[in-house]
Amino acid sequence: MSVPFLYALVGIGLFCLGFHGLIVYDHLLRKILAINIMGSGVFLVLVALAKRGGEAAPDPVPHAMVITGIVVAVSATALALGLMLKVQAATGHAVLPGKSRD
Amino acid sequence: MAGYAWLLRLLLLLLAVGLGYAVLSLPDQAQGLQPDVLGKMDQSGVTHPVTAVLLNFRGYDTLLEMAVLLLALLGIWSLGGLPEARPESEPGPVLGTLTQVLVPVLIVVAGYLLWTGAHAPGGAFQAGAVLGAAGVLLQLTGWRLPRRAAGHPLRITLVAGVAVFLIVAALPLPGGRQLLEYDPNYAGVLILVVEAFATVSIGVTLAALFFGADPTDKAPK
Protein backbone atom coordinates (compact mmCIF):
# COMPACT_ATOMS: atom_id res chain seq x y z
CA MET A 1 0.00 0.00 0.00
CA SER A 2 1.48 3.32 -1.04
CA VAL A 3 1.45 6.63 0.82
CA PRO A 4 -1.54 8.18 -1.07
CA PHE A 5 -3.75 5.30 0.04
CA LEU A 6 -2.66 5.76 3.65
CA TYR A 7 -3.74 9.41 3.53
CA ALA A 8 -6.99 8.44 1.79
CA LEU A 9 -7.77 5.95 4.58
CA VAL A 10 -7.10 8.69 7.16
CA GLY A 11 -9.56 10.84 5.21
CA ILE A 12 -12.19 8.10 5.43
CA GLY A 13 -11.51 7.86 9.15
CA LEU A 14 -12.10 11.61 9.54
CA PHE A 15 -15.29 11.36 7.49
CA CYS A 16 -16.72 8.58 9.69
CA LEU A 17 -15.58 10.34 12.89
CA GLY A 18 -17.38 13.50 11.76
CA PHE A 19 -20.47 11.49 10.78
CA HIS A 20 -20.55 9.97 14.25
CA GLY A 21 -20.34 13.42 15.84
CA LEU A 22 -23.08 14.74 13.56
CA ILE A 23 -25.49 12.01 14.70
CA VAL A 24 -24.58 11.79 18.38
CA TYR A 25 -24.37 15.43 19.50
CA ASP A 26 -27.41 17.65 19.90
CA HIS A 27 -25.67 21.02 20.11
CA LEU A 28 -25.74 22.72 16.71
CA LEU A 29 -22.19 24.08 17.00
CA ARG A 30 -20.94 20.51 17.45
CA LYS A 31 -22.98 19.41 14.43
CA ILE A 32 -21.48 22.21 12.30
CA LEU A 33 -17.97 21.27 13.43
CA ALA A 34 -18.73 17.61 12.69
CA ILE A 35 -19.82 18.45 9.14
CA ASN A 36 -16.59 20.39 8.68
CA ILE A 37 -14.56 17.38 9.84
CA MET A 38 -16.48 15.20 7.36
CA GLY A 39 -15.65 17.70 4.63
CA SER A 40 -11.98 17.73 5.57
CA GLY A 41 -11.98 13.94 5.26
CA VAL A 42 -13.44 14.16 1.76
CA PHE A 43 -10.85 16.79 0.77
CA LEU A 44 -8.04 14.59 2.13
CA VAL A 45 -9.27 11.61 0.08
CA LEU A 46 -9.44 13.71 -3.09
CA VAL A 47 -6.02 15.32 -2.62
CA ALA A 48 -4.37 12.03 -1.69
CA LEU A 49 -5.81 9.99 -4.55
CA ALA A 50 -4.69 12.64 -7.05
CA LYS A 51 -1.09 11.61 -6.39
CA ARG A 52 -1.14 8.05 -7.65
CA GLY A 53 1.19 8.59 -10.58
CA GLY A 54 4.38 7.76 -8.70
CA GLU A 55 7.01 10.41 -9.44
CA ALA A 56 4.74 12.30 -11.85
CA ALA A 57 3.08 15.56 -10.80
CA PRO A 58 -0.33 15.05 -9.14
CA ASP A 59 -3.57 15.25 -11.13
CA PRO A 60 -4.51 18.97 -10.94
CA VAL A 61 -8.27 18.47 -11.42
CA PRO A 62 -9.05 17.08 -7.93
CA HIS A 63 -6.78 19.72 -6.42
CA ALA A 64 -8.76 22.47 -8.16
CA MET A 65 -12.00 20.85 -6.95
CA VAL A 66 -10.71 20.83 -3.37
CA ILE A 67 -9.78 24.54 -3.51
CA THR A 68 -13.30 25.26 -4.74
CA GLY A 69 -14.73 23.00 -2.07
CA ILE A 70 -12.83 24.63 0.78
CA VAL A 71 -14.20 28.08 -0.07
CA VAL A 72 -17.73 26.72 -0.41
CA ALA A 73 -17.35 24.89 2.92
CA VAL A 74 -16.21 28.08 4.65
CA SER A 75 -19.13 30.10 3.32
CA ALA A 76 -21.66 27.35 4.10
CA THR A 77 -20.24 27.13 7.62
CA ALA A 78 -20.69 30.88 8.06
CA LEU A 79 -24.33 30.60 6.94
CA ALA A 80 -24.86 27.64 9.29
CA LEU A 81 -23.41 29.58 12.20
CA GLY A 82 -25.71 32.50 11.40
CA LEU A 83 -28.72 30.15 11.41
CA MET A 84 -27.50 28.65 14.69
CA LEU A 85 -27.37 32.10 16.31
CA LYS A 86 -30.91 32.73 15.08
CA VAL A 87 -32.14 29.42 16.57
CA GLN A 88 -30.44 30.32 19.84
CA ALA A 89 -31.99 33.78 19.83
CA ALA A 90 -35.46 32.33 19.14
CA THR A 91 -35.48 29.36 21.53
CA GLY A 92 -32.71 30.09 24.02
CA HIS A 93 -30.85 26.89 23.10
CA ALA A 94 -28.62 26.11 20.13
CA VAL A 95 -30.44 22.80 19.70
CA LEU A 96 -32.89 21.74 17.03
CA PRO A 97 -36.56 21.97 18.11
CA GLY A 98 -37.82 18.69 19.54
CA LYS A 99 -34.31 17.81 20.66
CA SER A 100 -34.13 19.90 23.82
CA ARG A 101 -33.24 17.92 26.90
CA ASP A 102 -35.42 19.80 29.38
CA MET B 1 -30.21 7.17 22.59
CA ALA B 2 -27.73 5.18 24.70
CA GLY B 3 -29.29 1.87 23.68
CA TYR B 4 -28.57 2.56 20.03
CA ALA B 5 -24.99 3.69 20.57
CA TRP B 6 -23.47 0.26 19.82
CA LEU B 7 -25.67 -0.14 16.73
CA LEU B 8 -24.61 3.28 15.45
CA ARG B 9 -20.93 2.46 15.97
CA LEU B 10 -21.38 -0.87 14.21
CA LEU B 11 -23.04 0.81 11.20
CA LEU B 12 -20.33 3.48 11.04
CA LEU B 13 -17.66 0.79 11.25
CA LEU B 14 -19.34 -0.98 8.32
CA LEU B 15 -19.42 2.30 6.43
CA ALA B 16 -15.73 2.91 7.13
CA VAL B 17 -14.82 -0.62 6.00
CA GLY B 18 -16.91 -0.23 2.85
CA LEU B 19 -15.38 3.13 1.98
CA GLY B 20 -11.91 1.82 2.76
CA TYR B 21 -12.50 -1.18 0.51
CA ALA B 22 -13.70 1.13 -2.26
CA VAL B 23 -10.59 3.29 -1.99
CA LEU B 24 -8.17 0.37 -1.78
CA SER B 25 -9.74 -1.31 -4.81
CA LEU B 26 -8.77 1.70 -6.96
CA PRO B 27 -5.83 1.08 -9.28
CA ASP B 28 -2.47 1.62 -7.60
CA GLN B 29 -1.12 3.68 -10.48
CA ALA B 30 -3.37 6.27 -12.09
CA GLN B 31 -2.70 9.63 -13.63
CA GLY B 32 -6.30 10.73 -13.94
CA LEU B 33 -6.67 13.78 -16.13
CA GLN B 34 -3.09 14.95 -15.55
CA PRO B 35 -1.81 14.03 -19.06
CA ASP B 36 -4.82 15.78 -20.65
CA VAL B 37 -4.23 18.93 -18.62
CA LEU B 38 -0.48 18.99 -19.27
CA GLY B 39 -1.11 18.42 -22.97
CA LYS B 40 -3.20 21.59 -23.23
CA MET B 41 -1.13 23.81 -20.95
CA ASP B 42 0.26 25.89 -23.83
CA GLN B 43 -3.31 27.06 -24.61
CA SER B 44 -4.24 27.93 -21.02
CA GLY B 45 -2.37 31.23 -20.66
CA VAL B 46 -0.75 30.19 -17.37
CA THR B 47 1.94 27.66 -16.47
CA HIS B 48 0.56 26.26 -13.21
CA PRO B 49 -1.79 23.32 -13.90
CA VAL B 50 -4.13 23.90 -10.93
CA THR B 51 -4.67 27.54 -11.95
CA ALA B 52 -5.20 26.44 -15.55
CA VAL B 53 -7.90 23.98 -14.42
CA LEU B 54 -9.53 26.47 -12.03
CA LEU B 55 -9.78 29.47 -14.33
CA ASN B 56 -9.63 28.06 -17.83
CA PHE B 57 -10.45 24.38 -18.33
CA ARG B 58 -13.08 24.23 -15.60
CA GLY B 59 -13.81 27.93 -15.27
CA TYR B 60 -17.51 27.10 -14.99
CA ASP B 61 -16.98 25.55 -11.54
CA THR B 62 -15.12 28.59 -10.32
CA LEU B 63 -17.70 31.00 -11.70
CA LEU B 64 -20.54 29.15 -9.95
CA GLU B 65 -18.48 28.91 -6.80
CA MET B 66 -18.10 32.68 -6.68
CA ALA B 67 -21.89 32.82 -6.96
CA VAL B 68 -22.23 30.35 -4.06
CA LEU B 69 -20.02 32.57 -1.91
CA LEU B 70 -22.23 35.55 -2.68
CA LEU B 71 -25.34 33.45 -2.03
CA ALA B 72 -24.09 32.47 1.44
CA LEU B 73 -23.59 36.13 2.29
CA LEU B 74 -27.07 37.00 0.98
CA GLY B 75 -28.42 34.16 3.12
CA ILE B 76 -26.83 35.61 6.24
CA TRP B 77 -27.96 39.14 5.41
CA SER B 78 -31.51 37.94 4.84
CA LEU B 79 -31.65 36.50 8.35
CA GLY B 80 -32.44 40.04 9.39
CA GLY B 81 -29.60 40.99 11.66
CA LEU B 82 -27.61 38.83 14.03
CA PRO B 83 -26.85 39.73 17.61
CA GLU B 84 -23.45 41.39 17.33
CA ALA B 85 -20.84 39.58 19.37
CA ARG B 86 -19.74 41.84 22.19
CA PRO B 87 -16.12 41.21 23.13
CA GLU B 88 -15.69 40.22 26.77
CA SER B 89 -12.89 42.74 27.18
CA GLU B 90 -11.37 45.58 25.22
CA PRO B 91 -8.83 44.36 22.65
CA GLY B 92 -5.41 44.58 24.28
CA PRO B 93 -2.57 46.75 23.00
CA VAL B 94 -0.82 43.70 21.55
CA LEU B 95 -3.73 42.88 19.22
CA GLY B 96 -4.00 46.49 18.07
CA THR B 97 -0.30 46.93 17.37
CA LEU B 98 0.00 43.51 15.78
CA THR B 99 -2.93 44.28 13.50
CA GLN B 100 -1.39 47.60 12.46
CA VAL B 101 1.73 45.72 11.39
CA LEU B 102 0.03 42.64 9.98
CA VAL B 103 -2.71 44.11 7.81
CA PRO B 104 -0.36 45.85 5.33
CA VAL B 105 1.79 42.70 5.24
CA LEU B 106 -1.29 40.55 4.58
CA ILE B 107 -2.34 42.83 1.72
CA VAL B 108 1.10 42.54 0.14
CA VAL B 109 1.07 38.76 0.64
CA ALA B 110 -2.34 38.58 -1.04
CA GLY B 111 -0.99 40.51 -4.02
CA TYR B 112 2.01 38.20 -4.22
CA LEU B 113 -0.14 35.06 -4.02
CA LEU B 114 -2.40 36.43 -6.76
CA TRP B 115 0.53 37.14 -9.07
CA THR B 116 2.42 33.92 -8.38
CA GLY B 117 -0.68 31.80 -9.06
CA ALA B 118 0.12 31.91 -12.78
CA HIS B 119 3.18 29.69 -12.39
CA ALA B 120 3.25 28.30 -8.82
CA PRO B 121 0.80 27.34 -6.04
CA GLY B 122 -1.31 30.40 -5.27
CA GLY B 123 -4.11 32.25 -6.96
CA ALA B 124 -7.34 34.08 -6.28
CA PHE B 125 -8.68 31.85 -3.51
CA GLN B 126 -5.52 31.76 -1.46
CA ALA B 127 -5.06 35.51 -1.90
CA GLY B 128 -8.73 36.13 -1.07
CA ALA B 129 -8.46 34.02 2.08
CA VAL B 130 -5.45 36.09 3.21
CA LEU B 131 -7.38 39.32 2.54
CA GLY B 132 -10.36 37.90 4.45
CA ALA B 133 -8.07 37.12 7.39
CA ALA B 134 -6.89 40.74 7.36
CA GLY B 135 -10.53 41.84 7.49
CA VAL B 136 -11.27 39.49 10.40
CA LEU B 137 -8.24 40.81 12.32
CA LEU B 138 -9.41 44.39 11.77
CA GLN B 139 -12.89 43.54 13.06
CA LEU B 140 -11.43 41.85 16.14
CA THR B 141 -9.75 45.11 17.09
CA GLY B 142 -13.13 46.83 16.99
CA TRP B 143 -12.75 48.42 13.55
CA ARG B 144 -16.00 48.75 11.61
CA LEU B 145 -16.61 49.66 8.00
CA PRO B 146 -17.27 53.43 7.76
CA ARG B 147 -20.95 54.10 7.17
CA ARG B 148 -20.40 55.79 3.82
CA ALA B 149 -18.55 52.70 2.54
CA ALA B 150 -21.14 50.23 3.87
CA GLY B 151 -23.81 50.84 1.24
CA HIS B 152 -23.17 50.77 -2.49
CA PRO B 153 -19.35 50.70 -2.37
CA LEU B 154 -19.43 47.48 -0.33
CA ARG B 155 -22.10 45.89 -2.53
CA ILE B 156 -20.28 46.74 -5.74
CA THR B 157 -17.05 45.27 -4.33
CA LEU B 158 -18.88 42.08 -3.30
CA VAL B 159 -20.45 41.59 -6.74
CA ALA B 160 -17.42 42.72 -8.80
CA GLY B 161 -15.78 39.28 -8.78
CA VAL B 162 -18.78 37.46 -10.27
CA ALA B 163 -19.65 40.34 -12.58
CA VAL B 164 -16.17 40.66 -14.12
CA PHE B 165 -15.92 36.87 -14.40
CA LEU B 166 -19.27 36.78 -16.24
CA ILE B 167 -18.22 39.59 -18.62
CA VAL B 168 -14.90 37.91 -19.39
CA ALA B 169 -16.72 34.58 -19.80
CA ALA B 170 -19.10 36.14 -22.31
CA LEU B 171 -16.36 37.95 -24.30
CA PRO B 172 -15.63 34.98 -26.62
CA LEU B 173 -19.32 34.59 -27.54
CA PRO B 174 -19.50 37.17 -30.40
CA GLY B 175 -16.45 35.57 -32.00
CA GLY B 176 -18.28 32.28 -32.43
CA ARG B 177 -16.59 30.61 -29.47
CA GLN B 178 -18.16 28.96 -26.45
CA LEU B 179 -18.77 30.57 -23.07
CA LEU B 180 -15.42 30.72 -21.20
CA GLU B 181 -13.47 29.62 -24.28
CA TYR B 182 -10.70 32.20 -24.09
CA ASP B 183 -8.50 33.06 -27.05
CA PRO B 184 -5.17 31.37 -26.14
CA ASN B 185 -3.32 34.57 -27.08
CA TYR B 186 -5.08 36.64 -24.42
CA ALA B 187 -5.92 33.91 -21.88
CA GLY B 188 -3.13 34.93 -19.50
CA VAL B 189 -4.29 38.55 -19.27
CA LEU B 190 -7.96 37.60 -18.98
CA ILE B 191 -7.21 35.14 -16.18
CA LEU B 192 -5.20 37.77 -14.30
CA VAL B 193 -8.07 40.28 -14.59
CA VAL B 194 -10.63 37.72 -13.39
CA GLU B 195 -8.39 36.65 -10.53
CA ALA B 196 -7.65 40.21 -9.42
CA PHE B 197 -11.34 41.09 -9.08
CA ALA B 198 -12.13 37.68 -7.62
CA THR B 199 -9.44 38.12 -4.95
CA VAL B 200 -10.89 41.40 -3.72
CA SER B 201 -14.45 40.07 -3.81
CA ILE B 202 -13.56 36.84 -2.01
CA GLY B 203 -11.61 38.70 0.66
CA VAL B 204 -14.38 41.23 1.29
CA THR B 205 -17.06 38.50 1.21
CA LEU B 206 -15.21 36.41 3.81
CA ALA B 207 -14.76 39.45 6.05
CA ALA B 208 -18.46 40.32 5.61
CA LEU B 209 -19.42 36.72 6.46
CA PHE B 210 -17.44 37.09 9.68
CA PHE B 211 -19.23 40.35 10.50
CA GLY B 212 -22.60 38.65 9.99
CA ALA B 213 -25.36 41.16 9.46
CA ASP B 214 -25.67 43.63 6.61
CA PRO B 215 -23.68 46.65 7.90
CA THR B 216 -26.39 49.05 6.67
CA ASP B 217 -28.97 47.31 8.87
CA LYS B 218 -30.19 49.05 11.95
CA ALA B 219 -29.26 47.28 15.17
CA PRO B 220 -31.52 44.21 15.60
CA LYS B 221 -34.50 44.70 17.85
Side-chain angles (χ1 to χ4, degrees):
Chain A
M1 189 177 71
S2 51
V3 175
F5 285 95
L6 184 65
Y7 281 110
L9 290 181
V10 173
I12 289 173
L14 281 177
F15 179 85
C16 292
L17 210 62
F19 201 19
H20 180 260
L22 178 67
I23 296 171
V24 166
Y25 295 113
D26 284 341
H27 197 285
L28 287 174
L29 183 59
R30 284 179 181 262
K31 284 190 189 289
I32 294 169
L33 289 175
I35 291 175
N36 270 284
I37 291 173
M38 290 171 75
S40 302
V42 174
F43 296 151
L44 191 54
V45 171
L46 278 173
V47 169
L49 291 183
K51 179 84 174 117
R52 278 182 294 148
E55 294 300 309
D59 182 1
V61 177
H63 282 225
M65 283 165 65
V66 168
I67 291 185
T68 315
I70 287 172
V71 178
V72 170
V74 167
S75 52
T77 302
L79 180 57
L81 289 172
L83 286 170
M84 183 193 85
L85 286 176
K86 275 295 184 190
V87 169
Q88 179 151 33
T91 65
H93 305 278
V95 174
L96 285 181
K99 277 283 195 177
S100 55
R101 289 209 177 115
D102 49 16
Chain B
M1 195 73 195
Y4 294 113
W6 64 271
L7 183 61
L8 175 66
R9 287 191 190 134
L10 185 70
L11 286 174
L12 281 172
L13 198 66
L14 282 177
L15 178 69
V17 170
L19 288 174
Y21 176 75
V23 162
L24 288 181
S25 63
L26 288 169
D28 208 26
Q29 293 284 323
Q31 299 208 309
L33 294 168
Q34 191 238 11
D36 297 321
V37 172
L38 292 190
K40 296 275 184 193
M41 280 305 290
D42 53 334
Q43 295 177 28
S44 68
V46 291
T47 54
H48 190 57
V50 174
T51 307
V53 170
L54 265 180
L55 284 139
N56 202 332
F57 303 148
R58 292 188 65 96
Y60 210 54
D61 286 1
T62 310
L63 175 61
L64 290 179
E65 182 217 352
M66 300 279 304
V68 167
L69 203 59
L70 203 57
L71 212 59
L73 185 64
L74 288 181
I76 289 192
W77 281 9
S78 64
L79 291 178
L82 296 171
E84 191 180 347
R86 302 235 170 270
E88 302 275 319
S89 58
E90 284 294 302
V94 176
L95 182 61
T97 314
L98 190 72
T99 307
Q100 278 184 348
V101 176
L102 269 185
V103 167
V105 174
L106 286 175
I107 292 174
V108 173
V109 168
Y112 170 75
L113 281 174
L114 169 65
W115 181 259
T116 198
H119 56 85
F125 294 108
Q126 291 86 335
V130 171
L131 270 190
V136 169
L137 260 183
L138 278 174
Q139 290 176 48
L140 286 179
T141 60
W143 178 85
R144 290 292 175 266
L145 200 62
R147 185 150 278 278
R148 64 190 153 75
H152 289 303
L154 174 66
R155 280 151 206 249
I156 291 170
T157 316
L158 290 172
V159 178
V162 184
V164 170
F165 205 153
L166 263 180
I167 293 169
V168 170
L171 276 182
L173 286 179
R177 292 164 173 266
Q178 302 281 325
L179 193 74
L180 285 161
E181 187 186 349
Y182 309 139
D183 185 339
N185 296 322
Y186 303 110
V189 181
L190 291 178
I191 286 176
L192 188 63
V193 169
V194 167
E195 282 204 296
F197 281 94
T199 298
V200 176
S201 283
I202 291 170
V204 175
T205 309
L206 290 178
L209 284 172
F210 182 79
F211 182 70
D214 181 354
T216 55
D217 271 356
K218 304 279 178 289
K221 283 152 273 184

Short mmCIF file of all heavy atoms in Angstrom, two decimals, chain A residues 6-36:
data_model
loop_
_atom_site.label_atom_id
_atom_site.label_comp_id
_atom_site.label_asym_id
_atom_site.label_seq_id
_atom_site.Cartn_x
_atom_site.Cartn_y
_atom_site.Cartn_z
N LEU A 6 -2.66 5.55 2.20
CA LEU A 6 -2.66 5.76 3.65
C LEU A 6 -3.40 7.04 4.00
O LEU A 6 -4.28 7.07 4.87
CB LEU A 6 -1.21 5.81 4.14
CG LEU A 6 -1.04 5.92 5.65
CD1 LEU A 6 -1.56 4.67 6.33
CD2 LEU A 6 0.42 6.15 6.01
N TYR A 7 -3.06 8.13 3.27
CA TYR A 7 -3.74 9.41 3.53
C TYR A 7 -5.23 9.30 3.22
O TYR A 7 -6.07 9.87 3.93
CB TYR A 7 -3.11 10.52 2.71
CG TYR A 7 -1.82 11.04 3.29
CD1 TYR A 7 -0.60 10.81 2.67
CD2 TYR A 7 -1.83 11.77 4.47
CE1 TYR A 7 0.57 11.29 3.21
CE2 TYR A 7 -0.66 12.25 5.02
CZ TYR A 7 0.54 12.01 4.38
OH TYR A 7 1.70 12.48 4.91
N ALA A 8 -5.57 8.58 2.15
CA ALA A 8 -6.99 8.44 1.79
C ALA A 8 -7.74 7.71 2.89
O ALA A 8 -8.87 8.07 3.23
CB ALA A 8 -7.12 7.70 0.46
N LEU A 9 -7.10 6.66 3.49
CA LEU A 9 -7.77 5.95 4.58
C LEU A 9 -7.94 6.86 5.80
O LEU A 9 -8.97 6.80 6.48
CB LEU A 9 -6.96 4.70 4.95
CG LEU A 9 -6.98 3.59 3.90
CD1 LEU A 9 -6.18 2.39 4.38
CD2 LEU A 9 -8.41 3.16 3.60
N VAL A 10 -6.94 7.71 6.07
CA VAL A 10 -7.10 8.69 7.16
C VAL A 10 -8.29 9.60 6.86
O VAL A 10 -9.08 9.92 7.76
CB VAL A 10 -5.80 9.51 7.33
CG1 VAL A 10 -6.01 10.63 8.33
CG2 VAL A 10 -4.66 8.61 7.81
N GLY A 11 -8.43 10.00 5.59
CA GLY A 11 -9.56 10.84 5.21
C GLY A 11 -10.88 10.14 5.47
O GLY A 11 -11.83 10.75 5.98
N ILE A 12 -10.96 8.85 5.16
CA ILE A 12 -12.19 8.10 5.43
C ILE A 12 -12.44 8.03 6.93
O ILE A 12 -13.58 8.18 7.38
CB ILE A 12 -12.07 6.69 4.82
CG1 ILE A 12 -12.13 6.79 3.30
CG2 ILE A 12 -13.18 5.79 5.34
CD1 ILE A 12 -11.87 5.48 2.61
N GLY A 13 -11.37 7.86 7.70
CA GLY A 13 -11.51 7.86 9.15
C GLY A 13 -12.10 9.16 9.65
O GLY A 13 -13.03 9.18 10.47
N LEU A 14 -11.58 10.29 9.15
CA LEU A 14 -12.10 11.61 9.54
C LEU A 14 -13.57 11.74 9.17
O LEU A 14 -14.38 12.25 9.95
CB LEU A 14 -11.29 12.71 8.85
CG LEU A 14 -9.94 13.08 9.44
CD1 LEU A 14 -9.27 14.13 8.57
CD2 LEU A 14 -10.10 13.60 10.84
N PHE A 15 -13.91 11.27 7.96
CA PHE A 15 -15.29 11.36 7.49
C PHE A 15 -16.22 10.61 8.46
O PHE A 15 -17.25 11.15 8.89
CB PHE A 15 -15.39 10.77 6.08
CG PHE A 15 -16.78 10.79 5.51
CD1 PHE A 15 -17.25 11.92 4.86
CD2 PHE A 15 -17.61 9.69 5.62
CE1 PHE A 15 -18.53 11.96 4.34
CE2 PHE A 15 -18.88 9.71 5.11
CZ PHE A 15 -19.35 10.85 4.47
N CYS A 16 -15.85 9.38 8.82
CA CYS A 16 -16.72 8.58 9.69
C CYS A 16 -16.76 9.17 11.11
O CYS A 16 -17.82 9.16 11.75
CB CYS A 16 -16.24 7.13 9.73
SG CYS A 16 -16.47 6.31 8.14
N LEU A 17 -15.62 9.70 11.58
CA LEU A 17 -15.58 10.34 12.89
C LEU A 17 -16.55 11.53 12.90
O LEU A 17 -17.33 11.71 13.85
CB LEU A 17 -14.16 10.82 13.15
CG LEU A 17 -13.64 10.88 14.57
CD1 LEU A 17 -13.65 9.49 15.18
CD2 LEU A 17 -12.24 11.44 14.59
N GLY A 18 -16.50 12.35 11.84
CA GLY A 18 -17.38 13.50 11.76
C GLY A 18 -18.84 13.07 11.67
O GLY A 18 -19.72 13.69 12.29
N PHE A 19 -19.11 12.01 10.92
CA PHE A 19 -20.47 11.49 10.78
C PHE A 19 -21.01 11.06 12.13
O PHE A 19 -22.16 11.35 12.49
CB PHE A 19 -20.45 10.32 9.79
CG PHE A 19 -21.78 10.02 9.18
CD1 PHE A 19 -22.79 10.96 9.17
CD2 PHE A 19 -22.02 8.79 8.59
CE1 PHE A 19 -24.03 10.69 8.60
CE2 PHE A 19 -23.24 8.50 8.02
CZ PHE A 19 -24.25 9.44 8.03
N HIS A 20 -20.17 10.39 12.91
CA HIS A 20 -20.55 9.97 14.25
C HIS A 20 -20.93 11.19 15.10
O HIS A 20 -21.98 11.21 15.75
CB HIS A 20 -19.39 9.20 14.89
CG HIS A 20 -19.68 8.71 16.27
ND1 HIS A 20 -19.23 9.36 17.39
CD2 HIS A 20 -20.38 7.64 16.71
CE1 HIS A 20 -19.65 8.70 18.46
NE2 HIS A 20 -20.35 7.66 18.08
N GLY A 21 -20.06 12.22 15.06
CA GLY A 21 -20.34 13.42 15.84
C GLY A 21 -21.63 14.09 15.40
O GLY A 21 -22.41 14.57 16.23
N LEU A 22 -21.87 14.10 14.09
CA LEU A 22 -23.08 14.74 13.56
C LEU A 22 -24.34 14.07 14.11
O LEU A 22 -25.32 14.73 14.42
CB LEU A 22 -23.05 14.65 12.03
CG LEU A 22 -24.26 15.21 11.29
CD1 LEU A 22 -24.33 16.71 11.48
CD2 LEU A 22 -24.20 14.87 9.82
N ILE A 23 -24.29 12.73 14.24
CA ILE A 23 -25.49 12.01 14.70
C ILE A 23 -25.63 12.11 16.21
O ILE A 23 -26.72 12.31 16.73
CB ILE A 23 -25.41 10.53 14.25
CG1 ILE A 23 -25.41 10.45 12.73
CG2 ILE A 23 -26.54 9.73 14.85
CD1 ILE A 23 -25.12 9.08 12.21
N VAL A 24 -24.51 11.98 16.93
CA VAL A 24 -24.58 11.79 18.38
C VAL A 24 -24.89 13.09 19.12
O VAL A 24 -25.69 13.10 20.05
CB VAL A 24 -23.27 11.15 18.88
CG1 VAL A 24 -23.17 11.26 20.39
CG2 VAL A 24 -23.20 9.71 18.44
N TYR A 25 -24.25 14.21 18.69
CA TYR A 25 -24.37 15.43 19.50
C TYR A 25 -25.58 16.25 19.12
O TYR A 25 -25.93 16.34 17.95
CB TYR A 25 -23.10 16.27 19.36
CG TYR A 25 -21.90 15.58 19.93
CD1 TYR A 25 -20.86 15.16 19.11
CD2 TYR A 25 -21.82 15.33 21.30
CE1 TYR A 25 -19.76 14.51 19.63
CE2 TYR A 25 -20.73 14.68 21.83
CZ TYR A 25 -19.70 14.27 20.99
OH TYR A 25 -18.62 13.62 21.51
N ASP A 26 -26.22 16.85 20.13
CA ASP A 26 -27.41 17.65 19.90
C ASP A 26 -27.07 19.11 19.60
O ASP A 26 -27.78 19.77 18.86
CB ASP A 26 -28.33 17.59 21.13
CG ASP A 26 -29.06 16.28 21.19
OD1 ASP A 26 -29.13 15.61 20.13
OD2 ASP A 26 -29.55 15.90 22.26
N HIS A 27 -25.99 19.60 20.24
CA HIS A 27 -25.67 21.02 20.11
C HIS A 27 -25.31 21.34 18.66
O HIS A 27 -24.52 20.63 18.04
CB HIS A 27 -24.53 21.38 21.04
CG HIS A 27 -24.41 22.86 21.28
ND1 HIS A 27 -23.90 23.70 20.33
CD2 HIS A 27 -24.74 23.62 22.34
CE1 HIS A 27 -23.93 24.94 20.81
NE2 HIS A 27 -24.43 24.92 22.03
N LEU A 28 -25.91 22.42 18.14
CA LEU A 28 -25.74 22.72 16.71
C LEU A 28 -24.30 23.08 16.37
O LEU A 28 -23.83 22.78 15.27
CB LEU A 28 -26.68 23.85 16.31
CG LEU A 28 -28.15 23.44 16.24
CD1 LEU A 28 -29.03 24.64 16.00
CD2 LEU A 28 -28.35 22.42 15.13
N LEU A 29 -23.58 23.73 17.30
CA LEU A 29 -22.19 24.08 17.00
C LEU A 29 -21.37 22.80 16.79
O LEU A 29 -20.54 22.72 15.88
CB LEU A 29 -21.60 24.90 18.14
CG LEU A 29 -20.17 25.38 17.92
CD1 LEU A 29 -20.07 26.22 16.66
CD2 LEU A 29 -19.67 26.18 19.10
N ARG A 30 -21.65 21.79 17.62
CA ARG A 30 -20.94 20.51 17.45
C ARG A 30 -21.30 19.85 16.12
O ARG A 30 -20.46 19.26 15.46
CB ARG A 30 -21.29 19.57 18.60
CG ARG A 30 -20.60 19.93 19.89
CD ARG A 30 -21.01 18.97 20.99
NE ARG A 30 -20.39 19.31 22.25
CZ ARG A 30 -19.29 18.71 22.70
NH1 ARG A 30 -18.71 17.77 22.00
NH2 ARG A 30 -18.77 19.07 23.86
N LYS A 31 -22.57 19.99 15.72
CA LYS A 31 -22.98 19.41 14.43
C LYS A 31 -22.26 20.10 13.29
O LYS A 31 -21.80 19.46 12.33
CB LYS A 31 -24.50 19.53 14.26
CG LYS A 31 -25.29 18.52 15.08
CD LYS A 31 -26.75 18.55 14.67
CE LYS A 31 -27.64 17.73 15.59
NZ LYS A 31 -27.45 16.28 15.43
N ILE A 32 -22.16 21.46 13.37
CA ILE A 32 -21.48 22.21 12.30
C ILE A 32 -20.02 21.81 12.24
O ILE A 32 -19.46 21.58 11.15
CB ILE A 32 -21.66 23.72 12.53
CG1 ILE A 32 -23.13 24.11 12.39
CG2 ILE A 32 -20.81 24.51 11.56
CD1 ILE A 32 -23.44 25.51 12.85
N LEU A 33 -19.38 21.69 13.42
CA LEU A 33 -17.97 21.27 13.43
C LEU A 33 -17.83 19.86 12.85
O LEU A 33 -16.90 19.57 12.10
CB LEU A 33 -17.42 21.31 14.86
CG LEU A 33 -17.21 22.70 15.44
CD1 LEU A 33 -16.77 22.61 16.89
CD2 LEU A 33 -16.15 23.44 14.64
N ALA A 34 -18.80 18.99 13.18
CA ALA A 34 -18.73 17.61 12.69
C ALA A 34 -18.82 17.58 11.17
O ALA A 34 -18.08 16.83 10.51
CB ALA A 34 -19.86 16.79 13.32
N ILE A 35 -19.71 18.41 10.60
CA ILE A 35 -19.82 18.45 9.14
C ILE A 35 -18.52 18.94 8.52
O ILE A 35 -18.07 18.44 7.48
CB ILE A 35 -21.01 19.35 8.73
CG1 ILE A 35 -22.31 18.68 9.13
CG2 ILE A 35 -21.00 19.61 7.24
CD1 ILE A 35 -23.53 19.52 8.90
N ASN A 36 -17.86 19.90 9.19
CA ASN A 36 -16.59 20.39 8.68
C ASN A 36 -15.52 19.30 8.72
O ASN A 36 -14.68 19.22 7.80
CB ASN A 36 -16.13 21.61 9.48
CG ASN A 36 -16.65 22.89 8.89
OD1 ASN A 36 -16.14 23.34 7.89
ND2 ASN A 36 -17.69 23.44 9.48
#
